[in-house]
Amino acid sequence: MTKQLMIYERAVPVQAEAHRDWSVKTGTSYAFAASINSAPLLAPEFASTAQDYAIVFAGEGDTVFPAVILGLRDDQNAFVAPDGSWTGRYIPAFLRRYPFVFAASGDAARLTLCIDAEFEGVNTEGRGERLFDSEGNRTRYLEEMLAFTSEYQQHFARTEAFCKRLVEHDLLDKAQVRFEVPGGGRSELRGFRTVSREKLRALPDEAVLAMARSDDLELCYLHMNSLGNLGRMAERIADAEAAPRYDA
């Protein structure tokens, strides 16, 4: 699995003076995510995600974070249709908060709300939702997006703590998956980690109890059970690529 590709092209701080006339027209297109084969995932999303997607852990050394697998090849998102619509039942919060994102200051003590200025829905013609009213005050829409992004950041910190405990208990092993490709041959997805059932069983009782009380144990089993979705994804991609195509 390749390193997570950023979907933000030019994130700029949201400011009343600079963006008083800006509006954001959102819709149902996720074309901006068509070329990523994974996306960061928050701990509260595991239950919804595990029903259809595979959850893994990505990163280097002691720095790991959950990721949802969206495709089995580089630059492939199997859940974005040609018209930009999302074909899965659940959309990761990482994509739903777009085009907004928090950026940290140099010392990470302060967070600033930013927006991707290159997002196709950004405009100064009044299409969609305005960011500021005529007096330069935040609109209800901007307040809602600020609240959503703030909540995302809180869950991000909780998820980081969960991953740190997995590393401390040495529960993660490197993994890879091999799958058939249309026309014959095999390919593989690598560069991610999964929780080892054997290592989890070998934990001392007090560690297991602490994980159960913090919900870490539930997250581990949701992750492990979700790995079965990798095979179904491979079949889905193979069927889609093998289907006949007709020109209009």
Side-chain angles (χ1 to χ4, degrees), residues 75-232:
D75 303 328
Q76 176 200 60
N77 188 334
F79 295 92
V80 176
D83 63 358
S85 61
W86 191 269
T87 60
R89 286 189 291 180
Y90 181 76
I91 304 173
F94 177 77
L95 302 179
R96 284 186 281 120
R97 71 172 176 171
Y98 184 80
F100 296 94
V101 65
F102 268 135
S105 59
D107 57 2
R110 183 170 58 87
L111 296 174
T112 301
L113 183 67
C114 297
I115 186 171
D116 187 353
E118 299 301 320
F119 173 52
E120 62 180 3
V122 170
N123 67 91
T124 56
E125 290 78 41
R127 291 181 284 109
E129 302 286 349
R130 290 181 60 92
L131 299 182
F132 298 95
D133 61 23
S134 59
E135 297 180 353
N137 299 312
R138 295 172 182 165
T139 60
R140 180 177 179 182
Y141 168 73
L142 183 57
E143 290 286 3
E144 289 175 349
M145 293 310 302
L146 178 60
F148 179 79
T149 310
S150 298
E151 183 180 14
Y152 182 97
Q153 203 65 27
Q154 293 171 7
H155 291 312
F156 186 93
R158 183 263 191 261
T159 307
E160 277 190 319
F162 162 61
C163 292
K164 183 178 180 180
R165 290 191 289 271
L166 294 183
V167 172
E168 290 174 347
H169 288 307
D170 190 28
L171 292 177
L172 298 173
D173 286 340
K174 292 182 179 180
Q176 62 184 27
V177 59
R178 295 182 176 87
F179 56 95
E180 302 288 340
V181 296
R186 298 174 67 87
S187 185
E188 65 181 28
L189 185 70
R190 61 174 62 192
F192 62 91
R193 305 185 198 182
T194 58
V195 170
S196 166
R197 288 182 181 271
E198 290 73 20
K199 290 181 178 179
L200 190 59
R201 293 192 191 102
L203 281 179
D205 291 349
E206 60 270 21
V208 175
L209 179 60
M211 291 183 68
R213 287 177 172 170
S214 65
D215 291 334
D216 287 359
L217 196 59
E218 179 184 11
L219 294 175
C220 286
Y221 282 111
L222 284 169
H223 146 68
M224 290 187 289
N225 290 336
S226 78
L227 297 177
N229 290 322
L230 281 172
R232 287 185 283 275

Side-chain angles (χ1 to χ4, degrees), residues 39-56:
L41 197 70
L42 302 174
E45 298 183 273
F46 275 39
S48 297
T49 304
Q51 299 178 42
D52 298 306
Y53 309 85
I55 302 169
V56 300

